Amino acid sequence: MNLAEKVAQMVVVRASGHLFDNQILYPDWEPPNSKLQYWVQELGVGGVIFVGGSAVDLATRIQQLQSWAKIPLLLAADIEEGVGQRFAGATWFPPPMAIAAIAQTNLKKAQGYAETMGAITAQEAVAIGLNWILAPVVDVNNNPDNPVINIRAFGETTELVCQLARAFIRGAQQYAVLTTAKHFPGHGDTAVDSHFDLPVIPHSDRRLAEVELPPFFEAIAAGVDSVMSAHLLIPVWDGELPATLSHKIITGRLRQKLGFDGLVVTDALVMGAIANRYGLAEASVLAVEAGADILLMPLDAEVTINSVCDAVSQGRISESRIDESLQRIWQAKTKVYPTWEPGNEKIPDYFSPPTYNLVEKLAQSQAQETVAQILQDSIQVGGGYLTPKNRDDNHLRNLVLVQDILNTPFLGNHTPAIAIPKKYGYQLQLIDNYSEALQTFTSHRLTLLQLFIRGNPFGQSASLTQAGEDLVKKLLRSGELQGLIIYGSQYTLKQFSSELLSEIPYIFCYGQMPKAQAIALELLFKDLQVSL
Amino acid sequence: MNLAEKVAQMVVVRASGHLFDNQILYPDWEPPNSKLQYWVQELGVGGVIFVGGSAVDLATRIQQLQSWAKIPLLLAADIEEGVGQRFAGATWFPPPMAIAAIAQTNLKKAQGYAETMGAITAQEAVAIGLNWILAPVVDVNNNPDNPVINIRAFGETTELVCQLARAFIRGAQQYAVLTTAKHFPGHGDTAVDSHFDLPVIPHSDRRLAEVELPPFFEAIAAGVDSVMSAHLLIPVWDGELPATLSHKIITGRLRQKLGFDGLVVTDALVMGAIANRYGLAEASVLAVEAGADILLMPLDAEVTINSVCDAVSQGRISESRIDESLQRIWQAKTKVYPTWEPGNEKIPDYFSPPTYNLVEKLAQSQAQETVAQILQDSIQVGGGYLTPKNRDDNHLRNLVLVQDILNTPFLGNHTPAIAIPKKYGYQLQLIDNYSEALQTFTSHRLTLLQLFIRGNPFGQSASLTQAGEDLVKKLLRSGELQGLIIYGSQYTLKQFSSELLSEIPYIFCYGQMPKAQAIALELLFKDLQVSL
């Protein structure tokens, strides 16, 4: 292999999980087929990370990519809440924070759930052809305003995150798939989303050692295959460079102090915290200098490969540094492709079974039962149930408030949050957090309010906008509110806990998926079932 | 074959095009995998009609079904506007009425488009495994209030529908796929959607012969493979039974007078006009008595099969009547499966190529160019373009009004109707036709209004609700309206034509797909492109 081929193996590009160019949802970030094929077949990039598409779409997409690749690919996705979180058809788990909530009263049970979640996620990932789970999140979410980690974390305390992340990894290890502890050295205590700007962690060495680092120790001890670096500035360790680009942090702390010898992967190089400050070419070189093995999601694979190759020929990076990373990549690939050997360019036919066989492998009954149990064990209910009396009104309204009205994979005319109230005579009004309609809201109708609000990468906010919060409070005080369901973040519930009157039924549920809606609405409408 | 097996071949059931039960969008109408497998493998139903899923999902679904079937299946879909109308990734054409509009000035060109549309639809259908196109619509839409046919028709005159439907059929005949003339004897002059209730066509025999029937003559002469019956009452021919269930109409008129010897398929038996009045069992028997070969979309295949078998054993239907239909079914199946022979239970491996090969077969450049040309040739523009002057306002609003906010496959954060105005500083407000927000609309902002309104089966209305119409008129008169784009039905444009002032730029476009949005917005923002 020449230098460019070796460096290409260090690059994992982003692609749509859909097969056709006309289905690309993020045209600024996802290459069309012609470019993707060039990257995989000609440049020989090491892997691909996917967003979008159904489970069947993705399985097909992966077969296509494997048919292009000379060396089998690392195939990754942010499936922190199960394969179904990203790829419809597979199992969609509640967010890790739901399991943390269960752990407050029953740690053993919660560990069991985390392990099962890891195992099912791994089993389903392997079934559709993924071999790299970009999970578990091992950040300790000790900042309720954290817009990007939030309920993606396995808890608000170090202890809990250690216990549950370890269980998740143990579960996943039953299958030939890579796991990832992220985001090193800990993204839990920020109020800035690094997708937009660079957060600063002002903590002391001691505090980091006590709070943020133990989950990484735990994950490494449990045999996690990779660690993802965070785009965070940690002045106490490096006053200049963010963790992703810092030799002091990646090599000094992660490799040497923590003794991690697996794959180090950067967080996405396309993210604002890095891309806006350093540019792709320099960021790629700095990340390799820092000690990264995998450069994730550069906007242009060719720029990354060329800039790293140039840095080698200029003597800024040694070729042995590249070879070290390549060795780790070979190690990872031999783990997930046990019949493949480095140097052997032929890929066995990994995907001979037709994709329809997935129907026997995804979303099986044990998986669905586990999802339902986690939801049921973590749900919070207050204020009683709706009674038939409440229904004596012709103007019942089902007000559904979401974060982004054009991105609601959890909602459709058939999903319980829409279909069940409709059956009971409620008229739907669907608006989003940023809608003008929030301000002009005047009509007086008995209202069932359902909030789908949670912290998400790129979500802009962990919770409601001010206008959204004002609307909820107005409804709470007006006597119009008949019931409230919050799907997502317990921090949203806390925003209103002082306002929640004992006579208004409310439900809080960590999940937003249809199963969560079914469980919540069944509880809320409990006393109405007979009368329907 | 025993009687039940023969009758089963006459049944075409509905299924989701998605592979997994948890992706079913219409749980009342679409069976889970276990039931579907029972119908196909055990009962031996003759075929399946699909709704939903991506092109890749559907291709996978079809492979699954073929693996279950002992006799190869008829695989149908309502792909009147191309495979991409229903199954994302494939080519999505503008509605037939767009081609009719082009025919007003250039019939030859329009015939060319209709033929290409038929050919590409057939080619892509075959590529994903479909073999029965439930198109063309040959109804003459001479009633602008028609809620269900509307722009699905190839025109408002008999002449045009004849010419264009014939061209569509000619194009499709290049591939081994069945075509369907629908809805016999003509669904164009109704103001009632037969999905909900039974429309009555009060016309004379002469009027039917002059207006409604000629397109069916033409289609039959062109060699159309099947004719779909309408759920319409036509008192002049049969005072009691709707066409679908009428021996006088199906056998008397279609078979005998028009001499059609191909497949007669009922419209969906699940539709309100039939299901609510007769019940499935009786409707199934009546349809066979009337002369239908295919019973489409019974809610329960077993009820249909059993009721028809009972009618045979009771002597109400003769077994030879069943055998006649079976002969026509064999004829259709041998056409689309040329290597298969009736009596041979083994299905060759039709789908050995992996589904990712579809990327070279769907949405190819010729198809995309044809779509763009039809859109460009049928677009209507008035009132000039937006100028930079119009932008001197911090409160630009992109108001998007749709028919069903939870069913907008043509909209996403990445689609032009959303993304382009956003680039120009417009803030999105997305509401639907039934939203309360229509009434409380008070704020004063310069508004770009985009209407996605068209007649659709189950669409409740062909056009705007009264509240929607009032809002548009209010905006038109207030001076707030900066520009108007109507995607869908020319009848919606006509609603406002008397109100459209010459200084307000407006665009009407038949298509709603992203390509239509791109063309319309490029036109509207023509003078702004430099300044962006």
Side-chain angles (χ1 to χ4, degrees):
Chain A
M1 286 175 92
N2 64 32
L3 178 65
E5 287 167 340
K6 291 185 197 171
V7 173
Q9 281 294 310
M10 298 173 70
V11 174
V12 169
V13 297
R14 169 161 168 175
S16 162
H18 298 278
L19 190 64
F20 296 94
D21 290 347
N22 64 50
Q23 295 177 283
I24 287 176
L25 299 180
Y26 303 92
D28 291 345
W29 294 348
E30 293 164 359
N33 273 293
S34 57
K35 187 182 271 188
L36 184 60
Q37 181 167 12
Y38 172 70
W39 287 349
V40 171
Q41 200 163 42
E42 304 302 322
L43 302 185
V45 297
V48 181
I49 172 172
F50 301 97
V51 176
S54 68
V56 166
D57 284 325
L58 183 61
T60 303
R61 180 63 134 171
I62 287 175
Q63 293 186 359
Q64 174 197 45
L65 288 163
Q66 294 283 26
S67 81
W68 289 339
K70 297 192 183 75
I71 296 170
L73 296 161
L74 293 175
L75 297 158
D78 282 311
I79 42 178
E80 299 162 6
E81 296 162 24
V83 176
Q85 179 196 11
R86 305 278 172 193
F87 309 105
T91 301
W92 187 357
F93 284 94
M97 193 64 87
I99 298 181
I102 296 166
Q104 309 282 351
T105 55
N106 192 335
L107 180 61
K108 272 261 162 313
K109 196 180 202 184
Q111 284 174 309
Y113 287 148
E115 182 167 346
T116 306
M117 180 171 164
I120 289 169
T121 302
Q123 176 257 317
E124 296 194 353
V126 169
I128 64 174
L130 291 171
N131 51 39
W132 192 358
I133 300 174
L134 298 177
V137 170
V138 302
D139 303 317
V140 181
N141 198 73
N142 44 24
N143 184 339
D145 292 329
N146 192 317
V148 60
I149 302 302
N150 210 274
I151 57 172
R152 296 163 64 198
F154 272 112
E156 296 174 317
T157 66
T158 302
E159 172 80 29
L160 223 47
V161 172
C162 284
Q163 300 275 12
L164 298 176
R166 184 159 196 152
F168 181 96
I169 293 167
R170 193 164 53 233
Q173 282 170 337
Q174 298 171 35
Y175 299 86
V177 67
L178 309 178
T179 51
T180 311
K182 67 192 191 183
H183 310 78
F184 185 81
H187 206 309
D189 193 10
T190 74
V192 173
D193 183 348
S194 50
H195 291 86
F196 298 117
D197 205 349
L198 182 62
V200 177
I201 305 283
H203 297 310
S204 67
D205 193 70
R206 183 168 165 185
R207 141 80 194 226
L208 290 167
E210 281 173 3
V211 177
E212 272 79 13
L213 292 184
F216 289 95
F217 270 113
E218 278 285 323
I220 293 167
V224 78
D225 302 282
S226 63
V227 171
M228 182 183 286
S229 65
H231 300 336
L232 299 171
L233 197 67
I234 300 146
V236 71
W237 284 350
D238 189 329
E240 280 174 53
L241 291 166
T244 296
L245 309 182
S246 164
H247 186 269
K248 290 177 190 162
I249 296 177
I250 299 303
T251 298
R253 298 279 156 178
L254 179 56
R255 291 270 187 240
Q256 292 166 358
K257 289 231 166 175
L258 271 71
F260 179 63
D261 197 37
L263 274 186
V264 172
V265 52
T266 68
D267 203 344
L269 293 178
V270 76
M271 285 161 64
I274 296 295
N276 301 345
R277 284 171 188 248
Y278 299 93
L280 177 56
E282 182 60 13
S284 304
V285 173
L286 285 169
V288 176
E289 283 189 308
D293 302 305
I294 297 286
L295 305 169
L296 188 68
M297 225 193 278
L299 249 197
D300 187 331
E302 215 158 5
V303 168
T304 288
I305 296 167
N306 290 343
S307 59
V308 174
C309 286
D310 288 350
V312 173
S313 45
Q314 288 156 11
R316 191 172 158 192
I317 297 174
S318 68
E319 191 155 354
S320 67
R321 169 71 200 76
I322 303 298
D323 288 336
E324 279 167 30
S325 286
L326 200 65
Q327 279 316 306
R328 294 195 195 97
I329 294 165
W330 288 164
Q331 198 177 5
K333 290 196 172 182
T334 11
K335 174 173 176 177
V336 298
Y337 298 104
T339 61
W340 174 80
E341 278 176 44
N344 173 3
E345 288 222 342
K346 285 191 79 176
I347 307 182
D349 190 7
Y350 298 110
F351 297 100
S352 45
T355 42
Y356 65 78
N357 282 353
L358 287 176
V359 85
E360 288 150 25
K361 294 177 183 165
L362 305 188
Q364 302 301 293
S365 58
Q366 191 220 341
Q368 294 185 53
E369 279 156 28
T370 305
V371 168
Q373 282 166 0
I374 296 171
L375 288 168
Q376 263 147 356
D377 289 349
S378 61
I379 208 162
Q380 296 175 37
V381 182
Y385 306 107
L386 292 188
T387 61
K389 185 178 66 67
N390 300 117
R391 285 189 66 217
D392 292 343
D393 191 300
N394 277 322
H395 304 288
L396 295 166
R397 165 170 53 193
N398 175 21
L399 180 58
V400 178
L401 187 58
V402 298
Q403 277 169 309
D404 176 356
I405 204 163
L406 284 168
N407 191 9
T408 56
F410 44 82
L411 284 185
N413 285 307
H414 63 295
T415 58
I418 308 298
I420 294 179
K422 192 177 172 190
K423 254 197 248 177
Y424 284 108
Y426 289 74
Q427 199 195 341
L428 173 67
Q429 183 159 5
L430 174 64
I431 53 177
D432 78 24
N433 218 6
Y434 296 93
S435 171
E436 240 180 274
L438 287 179
Q439 278 128 44
T440 60
F441 224 84
T442 52
S443 66
H444 298 287
R445 302 174 70 180
L446 265 189
T447 298
L448 165 63
L449 176 61
Q450 300 187 76
L451 303 180
F452 289 83
I453 303 288
R454 57 169 286 185
N456 267 324
F458 295 101
Q460 297 184 45
S461 156
S463 192
L464 282 167
T465 55
Q466 190 58 50
E469 190 178 328
D470 291 347
L471 171 68
V472 177
K473 291 193 170 164
K474 196 163 100 184
L475 284 168
L476 273 165
R477 291 166 193 167
S478 68
E480 288 175 48
L481 198 64
Q482 196 194 27
L484 169 67
I485 307 180
I486 298 174
Y487 303 94
S489 170
Q490 80 275 22
Y491 304 120
T492 308
L493 175 65
K494 283 180 189 160
Q495 262 184 293
F496 303 111
S497 48
S498 64
E499 302 262 342
L500 282 171
L501 306 169
S502 61
E503 63 265 35
I504 294 177
Y506 72 88
I507 290 173
F508 166 70
C509 187
Y510 283 96
Q512 300 191 322
M513 68 285 281
K515 186 69 198 172
Q517 301 164 27
I519 290 173
L521 285 158
E522 204 169 298
L523 270 173
L524 193 75
F525 285 118
K526 208 171 171 183
D527 295 335
L528 290 185
Q529 310 238 328
V530 187
S531 69
L532 183 65
Chain B
M1 286 176 93
N2 64 31
L3 178 65
E5 288 167 338
K6 290 184 197 172
V7 173
Q9 281 294 308
M10 297 174 70
V11 174
V12 169
V13 297
R14 170 159 168 177
S16 162
H18 296 278
L19 190 64
F20 296 94
D21 290 348
N22 64 49
Q23 295 176 283
I24 287 175
L25 299 180
Y26 304 92
D28 291 345
W29 294 348
E30 293 164 357
N33 273 294
S34 56
K35 186 181 272 189
L36 184 60
Q37 181 167 14
Y38 172 71
W39 287 350
V40 170
Q41 200 163 46
E42 304 303 321
L43 301 185
V45 297
V48 181
I49 173 173
F50 301 98
V51 176
S54 68
V56 166
D57 284 324
L58 182 62
T60 304
R61 179 64 133 170
I62 286 175
Q63 292 185 2
Q64 174 198 43
L65 288 163
Q66 294 283 28
S67 81
W68 288 338
K70 297 192 183 75
I71 296 170
L73 296 161
L74 293 175
L75 298 158
D78 282 311
I79 42 178
E80 300 163 4
E81 297 163 22
V83 177
Q85 179 195 10
R86 304 279 173 193
F87 308 104
T91 302
W92 187 358
F93 284 93
M97 194 64 88
I99 298 181
I102 297 167
Q104 309 283 355
T105 55
N106 192 336
L107 178 61
K108 273 259 160 317
K109 196 180 200 181
Q111 284 174 308
Y113 286 148
E115 183 168 344
T116 305
M117 181 171 162
I120 290 169
T121 301
Q123 175 258 315
E124 295 194 353
V126 169
I128 64 175
L130 291 171
N131 52 39
W132 192 358
I133 301 174
L134 299 177
V137 171
V138 304
D139 302 318
V140 180
N141 197 75
N142 44 25
N143 184 337
D145 293 329
N146 192 315
V148 60
I149 303 301
N150 210 274
I151 57 171
R152 296 164 63 197
F154 272 114
E156 296 174 315
T157 66
T158 302
E159 171 82 28
L160 221 47
V161 172
C162 284
Q163 300 275 12
L164 298 177
R166 184 158 198 153
F168 180 97
I169 293 167
R170 192 165 54 232
Q173 282 170 335
Q174 298 171 36
Y175 298 87
V177 66
L178 308 178
T179 51
T180 311
K182 68 191 191 185
H183 309 80
F184 187 81
H187 206 308
D189 194 9
T190 73
V192 173
D193 183 348
S194 49
H195 291 87
F196 299 115
D197 205 350
L198 182 63
V200 178
I201 306 283
H203 297 311
S204 67
D205 193 68
R206 183 168 165 185
R207 142 77 194 229
L208 291 167
E210 280 173 3
V211 175
E212 273 78 14
L213 293 184
F216 289 95
F217 271 113
E218 278 284 325
I220 293 166
V224 79
D225 303 282
S226 63
V227 171
M228 182 183 286
S229 66
H231 300 335
L232 301 171
L233 196 66
I234 301 148
V236 71
W237 285 350
D238 189 330
E240 280 174 53
L241 291 166
T244 296
L245 308 182
S246 163
H247 187 267
K248 290 177 189 162
I249 295 177
I250 299 304
T251 298
R253 298 278 157 179
L254 179 56
R255 293 267 188 240
Q256 291 166 357
K257 287 229 166 173
L258 270 71
F260 179 64
D261 196 36
L263 274 187
V264 171
V265 53
T266 67
D267 203 344
L269 294 178
V270 76
M271 285 160 64
I274 296 295
N276 301 345
R277 283 168 189 250
Y278 300 93
L280 177 56
E282 182 61 12
S284 303
V285 173
L286 284 170
V288 175
E289 283 189 307
D293 303 303
I294 297 286
L295 305 169
L296 189 68
M297 226 191 278
L299 250 198
D300 187 330
E302 215 156 6
V303 168
T304 288
I305 295 167
N306 291 343
S307 59
V308 174
C309 286
D310 288 352
V312 172
S313 47
Q314 289 155 12
R316 189 171 158 194
I317 296 174
S318 69
E319 190 156 353
S320 66
R321 169 70 200 79
I322 304 297
D323 288 336
E324 280 167 30
S325 286
L326 200 64
Q327 279 317 305
R328 294 196 194 96
I329 293 165
W330 288 162
Q331 199 176 5
K333 291 197 171 182
T334 5
K335 175 174 175 177
V336 298
Y337 297 104
T339 60
W340 173 82
E341 278 175 45
N344 173 1
E345 287 221 345
K346 286 192 77 174
I347 305 181
D349 189 8
Y350 297 112
F351 298 101
S352 46
T355 42
Y356 65 78
N357 282 353
L358 287 176
V359 85
E360 288 150 24
K361 293 176 183 164
L362 305 188
Q364 302 299 293
S365 57
Q366 192 220 342
Q368 294 185 53
E369 279 156 29
T370 306
V371 169
Q373 282 167 1
I374 297 171
L375 288 168
Q376 263 148 355
D377 288 350
S378 61
I379 208 163
Q380 295 175 36
V381 182
Y385 306 107
L386 292 189
T387 61
K389 185 176 66 64
N390 300 115
R391 287 189 64 218
D392 293 343
D393 192 301
N394 277 322
H395 305 287
L396 295 166
R397 166 169 56 193
N398 175 22
L399 181 58
V400 178
L401 187 59
V402 298
Q403 277 170 309
D404 176 354
I405 205 162
L406 284 168
N407 190 11
T408 56
F410 44 81
L411 285 185
N413 285 308
H414 64 294
T415 59
I418 308 298
I420 293 179
K422 192 177 173 191
K423 252 196 250 181
Y424 284 108
Y426 289 74
Q427 201 196 341
L428 174 66
Q429 183 159 8
L430 174 64
I431 52 178
D432 79 24
N433 219 7
Y434 297 91
S435 172
E436 240 181 272
L438 287 179
Q439 278 128 43
T440 60
F441 224 83
T442 53
S443 66
H444 298 288
R445 302 174 69 182
L446 266 189
T447 297
L448 165 63
L449 176 61
Q450 300 186 76
L451 303 179
F452 289 83
I453 302 289
R454 56 169 287 184
N456 268 322
F458 295 102
Q460 297 185 45
S461 156
S463 192
L464 282 168
T465 54
Q466 190 59 52
E469 190 177 327
D470 292 347
L471 171 68
V472 177
K473 290 190 172 166
K474 195 164 98 181
L475 284 169
L476 273 165
R477 290 166 193 166
S478 68
E480 287 174 48
L481 198 64
Q482 197 193 27
L484 170 66
I485 307 179
I486 298 174
Y487 304 93
S489 170
Q490 79 275 21
Y491 303 120
T492 308
L493 175 65
K494 282 177 188 159
Q495 262 184 293
F496 303 112
S497 49
S498 65
E499 302 262 344
L500 281 170
L501 306 169
S502 62
E503 62 266 33
I504 294 178
Y506 72 87
I507 291 174
F508 166 71
C509 187
Y510 283 95
Q512 300 190 323
M513 66 285 279
K515 185 71 196 171
Q517 300 164 26
I519 290 172
L521 284 159
E522 203 169 300
L523 270 172
L524 193 76
F525 285 119
K526 208 172 170 182
D527 296 333
L528 289 186
Q529 310 238 330
V530 188
S531 70
L532 184 62

